[in-house]
Amino acid sequence: MKLSELAIGATAVVREFPKAGAAFLRLREMGLVAGTRVTLIRTAPLGDPLEIKVRGYHLTLRKSEAEHVLVDPAA
Amino acid sequence: MALPAHISSGVSAAPSRTPVYALVGNPNCGKSTLFNALTGLKQKVGNYPGVTVEKKIGTAYSQHGQPITVIDLPGAYSLAARSPDEAVTRDVLLGRRADTPQPDRILCIVDATNLERNLYLVHQILDLGRPVILVLNMMDVAAAAGLDVRAGRLERELGIPVIPCEAVNGKGLIELKLAMSRADLPLSRHAWDIPAPIAPAVAELQASLTANDRKPPLIARAEALLLLTDQDSVRVAGSTPLSARTTEILQGWQKRWEGEGTDWAGTLVNSRYDVIGRIAAEAVTRAGHTGPTASDKIDAVATHPIWGWMILGAVMTLLFLSIFTLAEYPMGFIEDGIASLSDWVKKDSGLPDGDLRDLITDGAIAGVGGVIVFLPQILILFFFIGLLESTGYMARAAFIMDRLMSRVGLNGKSFIPLLSSYACAIPGIMATRTIEDQKDRLVTILVAPLMSCSARLPVYLLMIAALVPGDRVPVATKVGVMILMYALGTFGAFGFAWLFKRTLLKGAPPVMIMELPPYRLPGLKDVALHMLERAWIFLRRAGTVILGISIVLWFLAAYPKAPEGATPQQQLAQSFAGRAGHALEPAIAPLGFDWQIGIGLISSFAAREVFVSTMGVVFNAESKDDDTTPLRQALLATKWPDGRPLFTPLVCFTLMIFYVFAMQCVSTVAIVRRETNSWRWPLFQIAYQTGTAWILSFIVYQAGRALGF
Ligand SMILES: Nc1nc2c(ncn2[C@@H]2O[C@H](COP(=O)(O)OP(=O)(O)OP(=O)(O)O)[C@@H](O)[C@H]2O)c(=O)[nH]1
């Protein structure tokens, strides 16, 4: 499933990532790589962007990027 | 890949001159706080030539009083730069900048509560083969969050000195200074294997960088690794370009990998995070499971769909209330001070009656004074912006506003700069440095002066007074017209932002990858220091320009001399300024303005509110304090030569519209020049804003006339 489809409060593991694009490289460098656990904390009051928790800190990204990040629900 | 022999064996030679340390770290890890703690007030702030990135150099003293130079590099998440700030950090560390010597040693500061992500940058920096000291900051916060971060383990894993520290209260500073003054700093013994699919490319690039770009071997290796992740690297002025041969090799590999479907950048990042994950697991243990942190609890309210808006609204209201109420007293003092200084020069300084004295009082003192009165407002604004930044609320405001800002193609980070511009565009424009994307930043700078600033208020108030019949303006009318003017400016700003993002400054769709740092109590000393630094930049940049302009404007109004016994009004009428007004009249007559209003428009270049005092001279109506009644009556009595009244309600309204859009503030021009590093953008800004002002005023005036107003 897509990161953007995660329910609020749910945790998942990153499966796949687009290779190209500066935004995705930056997301990787911020610690979001295949195998990383992410938790969707909340969406902004107007629904976009999203706030996620990754490696113990909080990060925002827009839905337009989150749609391309594939995740597996964590056990 | 094995590390070259000298890295693992040796100790670096003791530097013979003053050692130069570069201070690097992720944004929000407490870097500025540590820099201030280390160097005190011994700092020099400038700009890197060619880019608008702040260059901060300070001197720290070791426990034995030896000076140590510290360069505070801009905060960065990675050496694969995404913004000019990060590009400068990368270029200084790699010795790519001719204007800054490559630092001997590196002071890496990390946030202990967020070790993994912070170690990514450290990991890249260790590749440089320079002695590195790791500062483990925010140990108090880590402890409170139930994290046990063991410096000793990190030291063993990385092979470099690791100093636990709390920058805000100076804990660990002595140990840090002792480490910094060590003559023999060990080089990192940390080795990691470059992933197999890209190792041959790294080797080949490294060889070429050594041979063709004359890089030392270790730097060459670090550069090679970086080139692979730096896909569309941000190149900034002042950094040396790559040789053709190296570029060729790089492109050759990239083409090959693209064909094979190898995700080279991803592989590299993943392998670094693999190593980091292992190190962090060694060094950090979580003492039990802790519930939501204080920050989480605050955010549940501060970014709540309903409460979030209310809090944002309350914070902004508080900001504006304090700007307008708190600033009143110091503004009064400054006005009085300027008046008495001027009086003193006139009466008691012993200067003879004449042009020199008038130049000093009416030119320099009045002109500079007219801008200095805004200093309290500007200071308060800088202080608030600093406070919002260091508490972490700034990022929340950007998070909440992002969706709205994205409608015009900007992101949430443009919100605070634009909002600040309601008080004064200068702090707003200076606050755009937090916007990483250069195009977004430029668009924000270009439209910020359209937000109605407080210098326009006196003009609006005078025009509203002249617009409405009777001596007392009904509050509803006053507020209504005022809101209309603010709304016009706001819509104008967003409209132009939309337009510029689609045409002139078209870029990739903006992203909003931003850290939401935990809330923190601000270090008031650091915020105050930041405020003073900004204010000083403003005074230096704008002050000189304002002084020049004031003298020129004075000269234009004082020469040529009218015959003996002329009133100030007659003097102004036949001066160069008066003639310039006449020369301007054909251009502004279609807007319903005559040459006398023209003089007011010209004088507004010093600061918009000067319009009011100029009108006072032009129409010979002394207005005492804030009472504009005599001036208002003088305006209403003024007629065109053919007997029509000059200040009809339509003309007053048109004039306000002109002031909403026109770029008349030289201080802003000077600051935009500094922030964009060229004359191109400020000139463009003057042209587009004043052009829009003219066209809209023309439409309003002509349409109004046609409708019989
Ligand atoms: N509790 C605690 N707070 C700290 C410590 N060090 C810094 N802070 C606070 O953390 C906040 C951010 O510190 P800054 O020095 O502005 O961080 P920075 O890395 O320069 O951040 P940017 O200016 O955004 O690059 C401030 O509010 C500091 O007061 C620390 O050791 N403990």
Side-chain angles (χ1 to χ4, degrees), chain B residues 279-299:
Chain B
I279 297 175
E282 271 293 311
V284 186
T285 42
R286 194 172 283 275
H289 193 74
T290 42
T293 62
S295 222
D296 294 337
K297 286 182 201 151
I298 299 175
D299 261 342

Side-chain angles (χ1 to χ4, degrees), chain B residues 232-247:
Chain B
D232 42 40
S233 59
V234 184
R235 296 260 155 213
V236 292
S239 107
T240 44
L242 274 185
S243 69
R245 179 73 194 120
T246 309
T247 315

Side-chain angles (χ1 to χ4, degrees), chain A residues 19 22-23 25-31 33 42 44-46 48-49 51 55 57-62 65, chain B residues 78 80 82 86 114 116-117 120 229 261 263 270 273 296 300 303 402-403 410-411 510-514 516:
Chain A
K19 289 190 190 76
L25 178 62
R26 183 35 58 115
L27 278 179
R28 279 202 174 88
E29 293 195 301
M30 300 291 277
V33 298
R42 62 171 64 82
L46 294 175
D48 198 20
E51 176 182 346
R55 293 183 195 267
Y57 77 98
H58 294 241
L59 186 70
T60 70
L61 74 168
R62 284 196 181 153
E65 275 84 48
Chain B
S78 159
R82 281 278 144 263
E86 289 186 335
N114 188 357
E116 288 189 38
R117 200 210 54 223
Y120 184 79
T229 35
D263 178 11
N270 288 10
Y273 266 109
D296 294 337
T303 55
D402 182 61
R403 187 67 209 283
L410 293 174
N411 76 24
V511 293
M512 185 62 180
I513 298 173
M514 177 185 72
L516 286 175

